[in-house]
Amino acid sequence: MKGRDHFKHQTWRNGRNAVRYVPRNRVEDLRAAIDGYARFMILAEQYADEIIRLTRLQQNSQTQKTSSEKSCRASSPQGKCPKQADLDAFALHPKLG
């Protein structure tokens, strides 16, 4: 690009090739903007992956909680599960725990 006072910057936009001519003194700014955009895309993908992972963990824990409640109800003579506070009190009772 010797002798030119501008650079041609091409991008794909709205299904077409878009061309923009960038003055030589703005090329470094454009490169920094392109690098920043690439970094943004990487971070956005990492964020989406983490949200998906956390959502799946939450859904799995809710599914396990529901299935353990169902099995508790099926095995309990009253059809009810003991509350966690009752279980803690039972474990701490000297004669029962």
Side-chain angles (χ1 to χ4, degrees), residues 20-88:
R20 184 173 84 157
Y21 295 97
V22 181
R24 185 177 292 277
N25 63 346
R26 302 294 313 260
V27 171
E28 288 304 315
D29 294 337
L30 177 62
R31 285 189 179 135
I34 291 170
D35 291 343
Y37 177 76
R39 177 76 176 138
F40 169 78
M41 293 304 290
I42 290 168
L43 291 172
E45 185 176 0
Q46 289 174 353
Y47 176 77
D49 290 343
E50 184 65 13
I51 292 298
I52 290 167
R53 187 186 71 79
L54 291 174
T55 301
R56 288 180 179 159
L57 279 174
Q58 185 180 23
Q59 289 172 342
N60 287 340
S61 69
Q62 288 174 351
T63 302
Q64 290 173 357
K65 184 178 177 183
T66 303
S67 64
S68 67
E69 288 174 357
K70 287 179 184 176
S71 65
C72 179
R73 286 190 197 113
S75 63
S76 175
Q78 295 88 11
K80 294 182 180 179
C81 294
K83 295 179 182 171
Q84 186 62 42
D86 295 336
L87 294 174
D88 292 341

Side-chain angles (χ1 to χ4, degrees), residues 8-21:
K8 184 165 71 169
H9 177 242
Q10 296 179 316
T11 58
W12 193 257
R13 178 173 280 164
N14 299 325
R16 302 178 57 161
N17 189 25
V19 178
R20 184 173 84 157
Y21 295 97

Side-chain angles (χ1 to χ4, degrees), residues 89-97:
F90 180 78
L92 295 174
H93 195 280
K95 293 183 180 177
L96 302 175

